[in-house]
Amino acid sequence: MAATKIEISGPKSLFSSEFLCNSTSMISRKRRTVKVRMPVAATAAFTAVQMEAKLIELDSIKVIPETPVQFAVSGQVKVEYDAMEQMKELMFNWWDSSKTAIDAQRGVFLQLVSSDIDPRTGKAKVSKEAILDWSRDLPINADKFVTHEVQFLVDGNFGVPGAILVTNKNSKELYLKSITLEGFLHFDCQSWVQPEKLHPEKRIFFTNKAYLPNETPMGLRELREKELREMRGNGEGVRVLSDRIYDYDVYNDLGNPDKGLEFARPDLGGQRRPYPRRCRTGRPSTNLDPKSETPANEMMPMYVPRDEAFSDRKRRTVDAGSRKGMMNNLFPFFKHSIEGDPINSFADINNLYKESRNRSNFPVESTADAFKFDPPNIVSREASCCLRDDEFGRFTLAGMNPISIERLKAFPPVSKLDPSIYGPTQSALREEHLISHLDGMSVQQAIKKKKLFTLDYHDVFLPFLSSINAHPNRKAYATRTIFLLTQFGTLKPIAIELSLPSMNPFKPSKQVITPPVDATSNWQWQLAKAHVCSNDSGAHELIQHWLRTHACMEPFIIAARRHLSVMHPIHKLLHPHMRYTMDINARARELLINADGIIESFFSTKECSMEITSLAYKNWRFDMESLPADLIRRGIAEQDPTEPHGIKLLIEDYPYANDGLLIWSAIERLVKDYVNHYYPDSNSIRSDSELNTWYYESINVGHADLRHETWWPKISTPDDLVSILATLIWISSAKHAALNFGQYHYGGYVPVRPPYMRRLIPNEDDPEYSNFVSDPEGYFLSSLPSLKEMTSLLSVLDMLSTHSDDEEYLGDRKELSTWRGNPEIIEAFYRFSMEMKAIEKEIDRRNSDPKLRNRCGAGVSPYQLLLPFSGPGVSCRGVPNSISI
């Protein structure tokens, strides 16, 4: 039997209404090819008219096609380019005389995968390969993202494409941004594709449509499982930068014992020192300690899965911050190059900053100003003033660390530390210390009226003070501060307890300092507040910021990448809130929290820093990390269903809480709408294998040291899932923003917020007391870090407070095409975006309300950290979607 090839004209539209509705066939826009089986002898006997009639009959009734109908599907492939690297590639190809021999092996190969399976094979239908090879004809002036045209050839019964397989046969990785078929079927790839010689497996990219596991089209199920398997590690092997492997490990890479025993640090993670897990890198062990991992170096750089790494724009922002810091350090470095160069007056510190600016957009700068820091615009910088009492109280509610303040529920406070190790648990605070500051109330009356609040760092720091104070330039107390809530809604500090380890039974280890009554007590009070701020700086950076946002979020991200397909609706919801977090955490392990890193260099906690976070992690509870639960736990709020957010604040003018509740409620409403769309009942939750495996592994592997705690929320109902997801989004966005982006403007004037102190407060029988009395200002200034250390700290705070120009902010959702067929989801995101804009206006209104004295008034800085949007730079505002710095 021979075959006759016949061409029949077809409709012009590639995707007809039949395709859109039935998703079972595609029709060529130009023509289709049909092969008709006929006896050879019969063919010769037909006249032209008979032939035409016979062909019509066969095509409409009797023909059994030997080969299915085929047609072309056009697509647009958007790829990112590095202009310099592309120029090198073009030049290399031009000079390469053997290029013609290898052309067939170059390019990017793409195949469409149908959502349907072939009934004959039981496998998904796959198109023929289409090839992109731009190595010879890419325009020299190409934009960062370039769109290439491509055509796929598929059978007529192919069905709806659900995935694309990509093979990169070029010599370098490429960033595949997106693929669009026929102008409307989108694949949001956003991923690096490695050369085949490094990673021979074909990359899998799915359409933007979200599917729960049991709703996945038959043709995509095997690929869905395959893609997840490829990203899961097995605890073995050394990871390289091109990998996309997600696995867990303990924090055993912070020290470097091979450099010296003083650089050894204990592993974090395990029964003795519990800790969240990090992403495993697989670097070899150190020589002296087989349990410790060698630090990253040029030969073996810090690993993060390739798609978690900073973009070029983000990296440039960080690099620019580093260069800016180096320039800012030049002038002070040459002027104060000796570590012990004394600070003679507050003017020496103020000289680190640029002069005042005029009211135009252009700063007035001298040549020397070019090497100085921008003045922090939050705190006062008076000529001979440290931290004022009103600022001290205000910053606990609307400063860099607004989440440590708690209501005082019992007096005197009692330590929870082991008295056999750390001495008596009783506080030195007594009623006589407070009574004159309570507006006629007794202590118990003030507690009953919920007027007393505290910053309590006693149990956080006391176990580590012996190690800290052994350093000649580090001196610290374990502090407790008592505040009175005034009739104006502000907090007034009324007593500070300073504790040291109980070393001498004949010398008190605790002392209480109260507001001043004379010149001497004034400077004692200033020094006491400085020591409290030093405690607060360490607790903020290590516990509230690093531990409770960065470290505790990473296990949820690792588990999501390992067990939630990119097709999963929960992965799509969380994806923007995971951006850059693993990269910034890896950089922190390499530069910030490592032995002799930034934290140990510029904060009081030195080599004890990460052990302090491990002790704090024992008391961490995920179920208390939502904003309402956290406020209730700290005694700052009480449940009240009549209030707009279901709770009543006991400090009505609490800017962090007031603004945060607006954002929390908006997040909760969005997540509730989203979850209820995909999970109408508890059965749909229980039947989602990916969702349950993700949450189970987040707890039992990612937070393995706390896995037996009974407080972990269950995931049985849609409401359970709403609470869990809203908490994760809150932590990643607003909570982190409130703790991070005010670091420079709230912490950038060291006399107000010293990161550490170099001297204790002298008692009358101390040798230093006479020096203190004769020159109290000089004693205070000598207690602060040196000018050289200040400049280094300011450079770090400036960089950490900077928004990059590729920041993605809460409410600015970019990939809504994912839910093209779900208008109710698009509407929910739109409402959320509008809410963020309305919240911004409401916060601006509050910052102009003179009744709100913690955010408005003469010399009072507005609280802007939770304004949702910001431009690039150090703005002290803006809520990014994720923990990105």
Side-chain angles (χ1 to χ4, degrees):
M1 299 286 289
T4 301
K5 186 174 182 180
I6 304 166
E7 295 182 347
I8 303 176
S9 297
K12 296 183 181 296
S13 174
L14 171 62
F15 294 116
S16 65
S17 59
E18 179 184 0
F19 169 87
L20 294 173
C21 297
N22 301 326
S23 299
T24 58
S25 64
M26 293 182 176
I27 302 174
S28 170
R29 76 172 77 176
K30 290 185 178 179
R31 61 185 183 181
R32 60 179 179 169
T33 302
V34 181
K35 290 186 178 181
V36 183
R37 286 183 175 273
M38 295 180 60
V40 176
T43 304
F46 285 137
T47 65
V49 175
Q50 290 173 322
M51 172 67 80
E52 182 178 0
K54 188 64 176 177
L55 286 176
I56 294 172
E57 178 185 1
L58 288 171
D59 191 33
S60 60
I61 301 175
K62 300 180 180 180
V63 172
I64 301 175
E66 184 177 83
T67 303
V69 177
Q70 294 185 327
F71 59 90
V73 178
S74 66
Q76 294 77 43
V77 181
K78 185 174 285 189
V79 180
E80 178 179 347
Y81 288 94
D82 183 310
M84 291 299 296
E85 289 298 319
Q86 186 61 31
M87 176 66 73
K88 294 176 185 177
E89 181 93 356
L90 289 172
M91 293 181 66
F92 174 79
N93 291 337
W94 188 73
W95 284 102
D96 186 4
S97 58
S98 63
K99 183 177 187 309
T100 55
I102 63 171
D103 268 349
Q105 302 302 319
R106 296 179 61 84
V108 179
F109 290 65
L110 305 98
Q111 287 179 284
L112 296 181
V113 181
S114 174
S115 298
D116 300 333
I117 60 172
D118 189 330
R120 296 172 298 177
T121 64
K123 301 288 186 181
K125 302 173 185 178
V126 181
S127 75
K128 294 181 179 180
E129 287 183 332
I131 304 176
L132 286 181
D133 185 2
W134 55 79
S135 58
R136 287 178 293 179
D137 55 7
L138 179 71
I140 300 299
N141 61 345
D143 294 332
K144 185 177 182 63
F145 289 106
V146 177
T147 300
H148 298 277
E149 299 292 332
V150 66
Q151 281 203 339
F152 300 91
L153 191 64
V154 299
D155 293 338
N157 60 354
F158 186 81
V160 180
I164 294 180
L165 305 180
V166 180
T167 305
N168 178 13
K169 295 192 177 183
N170 291 320
S171 60
K172 296 182 179 180
E173 66 178 2
L174 66 93
Y175 186 77
L176 187 58
K177 183 173 177 60
S178 65
I179 301 174
T180 303
L181 300 181
E182 296 296 329
F184 78 89
L185 191 59
H186 298 285
F187 298 75
D188 189 31
C189 306
Q190 305 279 2
S191 181
W192 291 94
V193 181
Q194 300 302 320
E196 185 183 34
K197 63 183 180 181
L198 295 180
H199 294 272
E201 292 286 339
K202 295 180 178 181
R203 285 295 310 278
I204 305 165
F205 296 98
F206 298 101
T207 61
N208 287 5
K209 185 173 175 58
Y211 293 103
L212 292 171
N214 58 3
E215 297 173 349
T216 308
M218 295 299 295
L220 305 180
R221 293 191 174 188
E222 183 177 338
L223 291 180
R224 180 172 185 150
E225 295 171 0
K226 182 176 184 292
E227 188 212 18
L228 287 173
R229 285 196 305 270
E230 290 176 354
M231 291 197 294
R232 294 181 198 136
N234 58 4
E236 299 177 358
V238 178
R239 301 273 69 86
V240 296
L241 295 182
S242 60
D243 285 346
R244 296 171 62 244
I245 304 297
Y246 296 79
D247 208 347
Y248 302 92
D249 208 343
V250 297
Y251 280 72
N252 63 349
D253 62 342
L254 302 180
N256 187 8
D258 293 346
K259 185 179 178 181
L261 291 180
E262 67 271 25
F263 297 98
R265 297 293 181 269
D267 297 346
L268 302 180
Q271 185 175 4
R272 185 178 179 187
R273 295 183 182 90
Y275 218 68
R277 298 306 189 255
R278 64 169 175 92
C279 182
R280 181 184 176 277
T281 67
R283 294 194 304 272
S285 301
T286 60
N287 295 323
L288 293 181
D289 183 359
K291 294 183 179 180
S292 294
E293 190 172 273
T294 55
N297 53 58
E298 291 185 3
M299 298 296 294
M300 195 172 292
M302 181 64 75
Y303 167 76
V304 292
R306 186 64 183 96
D307 289 339
E308 306 293 339
F310 283 176
S311 69
D312 289 342
R313 291 168 64 189
K314 179 72 172 181
R315 194 179 301 110
R316 283 195 297 268
T317 299
V318 174
D319 293 344
S322 299
R323 290 192 297 271
K324 177 182 175 183
M326 291 175 62
M327 292 296 294
N328 289 145
N329 277 320
L330 283 177
F331 180 75
F333 178 80
F334 289 122
K335 187 175 180 181
H336 306 283
S337 58
I338 300 174
E339 186 70 23
D341 197 8
I343 304 174
N344 297 313
S345 68
F346 282 95
D348 288 344
I349 299 174
N350 291 341
N351 196 44
L352 296 175
Y353 304 93
K354 296 176 182 179
E355 295 296 329
S356 61
R357 303 166 180 240
N358 63 13
R359 295 185 181 275
S360 71
N361 293 328
F362 301 96
V364 177
E365 292 185 358
S366 65
T367 302
D369 275 350
F371 296 93
K372 295 183 179 182
F373 292 91
D374 293 325
N377 58 14
I378 300 297
V379 297
S380 301
R381 294 189 298 118
E382 299 176 9
S384 58
C385 179
C386 307
L387 179 63
R388 301 196 314 258
D389 283 4
D390 62 309
E391 285 187 330
F392 187 24
R394 180 159 51 85
F395 288 162
T396 64
L397 303 174
M400 188 162 69
N401 179 22
I403 66 173
S404 289
I405 187 72
E406 298 184 359
R407 180 162 57 86
L408 186 66
K409 300 175 183 176
F411 187 85
V414 178
S415 171
K416 296 179 182 178
L417 297 174
D418 186 345
S420 66
I421 300 175
Y422 302 108
T425 60
Q426 290 80 16
S427 168
L429 286 161
R430 296 292 180 266
E431 181 144 353
E432 56 264 28
H433 296 126
L434 310 183
I435 192 67
S436 62
H437 306 284
L438 296 181
D439 298 335
M441 295 180 289
S442 67
V443 171
Q444 292 306 317
Q445 287 174 330
I447 289 176
K448 187 176 181 179
K449 292 183 178 180
K450 302 171 183 177
K451 297 292 185 180
L452 293 180
F453 296 82
T454 181
L455 280 179
D456 192 341
Y457 294 124
H458 180 277
D459 290 3
V460 174
F461 283 90
L462 190 65
F464 304 97
L465 286 184
S466 295
S467 296
I468 293 171
N469 291 338
H471 291 275
N473 65 344
R474 293 290 195 279
K475 300 302 174 199
Y477 297 98
T479 65
R480 284 191 182 106
T481 307
I482 307 299
F483 295 88
L484 173 70
L485 180 63
T486 71
Q487 60 179 326
F488 304 109
T490 59
L491 290 182
K492 174 185 176 182
I494 59 175
I496 297 173
E497 180 184 28
L498 306 171
S499 298
L500 292 170
S502 185
M503 307 293 291
N504 185 344
F506 301 102
K507 185 175 181 180
S509 61
K510 305 173 188 290
Q511 61 177 310
V512 176
I513 296 182
T514 55
V517 295
D518 54 29
T520 300
S521 59
N522 173 68
W523 282 105
Q524 290 173 328
W525 180 243
Q526 295 295 348
L527 283 165
K529 288 188 292 184
H531 276 281
V532 174
C533 289
S534 174
N535 274 188
D536 191 64
S537 293
H540 160 263
E541 201 67 71
L542 288 167
I543 299 173
Q544 311 294 20
H545 183 193
W546 164 257
L547 174 67
R548 291 179 63 185
T549 63
H550 287 261
C552 286
M553 273 299 299
E554 186 162 348
F556 291 98
I557 296 173
I558 297 173
R561 302 302 196 196
R562 286 164 55 91
H563 295 291
L564 292 179
S565 167
V566 294
M567 306 171 74
H568 199 290
I570 301 306
H571 186 283
K572 291 182 180 294
L573 175 68
L574 292 179
H575 180 68
H577 306 289
M578 301 187 284
R579 185 177 186 239
Y580 294 153
T581 301
M582 293 182 67
D583 192 313
I584 194 61
N585 284 5
R587 290 169 186 260
R589 299 200 313 273
E590 187 175 8
L591 301 171
L592 192 76
I593 62 175
N594 59 311
D596 205 33
I598 290 171
I599 293 293
E600 291 190 6
S601 298
F602 299 128
F603 290 84
S604 64
T605 47
K606 293 295 281 185
E607 72 276 3
C608 306
S609 297
M610 295 307 288
E611 288 188 79
I612 289 176
T613 65
S614 175
L615 185 65
Y617 180 60
K618 294 179 180 179
N619 298 315
W620 176 82
R621 291 181 54 161
F622 180 74
D623 64 326
M624 294 293 165
E625 287 299 300
S626 72
L627 179 58
D630 177 58
L631 294 170
I632 292 171
R633 176 187 64 82
R634 292 190 280 123
I636 305 293
E638 297 173 334
Q639 289 184 334
D640 186 343
T642 65
E643 292 290 321
H645 307 287
I647 61 173
K648 178 183 179 181
L649 290 173
L650 301 180
I651 304 176
E652 293 183 4
D653 182 15
Y654 184 178
Y656 163 77
N658 295 128
D659 298 352
L661 285 169
L662 295 176
I663 295 177
W664 165 263
S665 296
I667 292 172
E668 192 175 41
R669 283 190 292 271
L670 170 67
V671 174
K672 189 176 185 66
D673 290 342
Y674 191 90
V675 167
N676 288 341
H677 176 78
Y678 289 100
Y679 300 95
D681 51 39
S682 297
N683 288 332
S684 57
I685 297 284
R686 289 192 294 268
S687 63
D688 189 335
S689 58
E690 289 183 9
L691 178 72
N692 285 280
T693 305
W694 160 68
Y695 189 58
Y696 176 87
E697 187 174 280
S698 298
I699 297 171
N700 289 276
V701 182
H703 288 279
D705 302 329
L706 301 180
R707 66 187 182 278
H708 297 305
E709 298 293 340
T710 58
W711 45 254
W712 281 104
K714 306 299 181 185
I715 188 168
S716 303
T717 68
D719 285 345
D720 294 340
L721 182 57
V722 169
S723 177
I724 292 166
L725 296 176
T727 299
L728 292 174
I729 294 173
W730 163 259
I731 294 171
S732 301
S733 57
K735 181 176 181 178
H736 177 261
L739 294 168
N740 184 81
F741 292 103
Q743 290 187 82
Y744 182 78
H745 283 299
Y746 285 104
Y749 188 61
V750 175
V752 165
R753 191 176 176 82
Y756 67 87
M757 298 289 283
R758 297 196 289 180
R759 306 178 81 170
L760 297 174
I761 303 174
N763 295 315
E764 292 185 8
D765 55 348
D766 291 331
E768 293 184 317
Y769 187 76
S770 59
N771 294 332
F772 163 69
V773 172
S774 63
D775 184 10
E777 180 177 309
Y779 189 93
F780 181 92
L781 292 171
S782 69
S783 300
L784 301 175
S786 69
L787 288 172
K788 180 181 175 182
E789 291 169 322
M790 286 185 190
T791 60
S792 298
L793 173 68
L794 292 177
S795 298
V796 171
L797 295 181
D798 182 274
M799 184 172 64
L800 294 178
S801 303
T802 299
H803 289 293
S804 63
D805 61 0
D806 73 336
E807 203 83 88
E808 295 178 1
Y809 294 96
L810 199 63
D812 186 19
R813 196 83 185 200
K814 296 185 180 301
E815 65 279 2
L816 288 179
S817 61
T818 296
W819 299 279
R820 185 182 295 269
N822 296 313
E824 60 270 32
I825 296 295
I826 294 177
E827 177 65 22
F829 281 117
Y830 177 78
R831 285 196 302 271
F832 182 71
S833 179
M834 292 299 101
E835 282 191 85
M836 291 302 105
K837 294 176 181 178
I839 287 171
E840 185 147 303
K841 293 180 179 179
E842 173 61 17
I843 292 175
D844 285 337
R845 185 199 66 78
R846 292 174 176 180
N847 285 332
S848 302
D849 187 347
K851 297 178 182 178
L852 303 178
R853 302 188 183 210
N854 289 318
R855 64 197 307 161
C856 182
V860 174
S861 57
Y863 185 72
Q864 297 179 316
L865 282 170
L866 292 177
L867 284 169
F869 306 106
S870 172
V874 183
S875 63
C876 203
R877 58 177 289 166
V879 181
N881 278 322
S882 63
I883 301 168
S884 58
I885 190 67

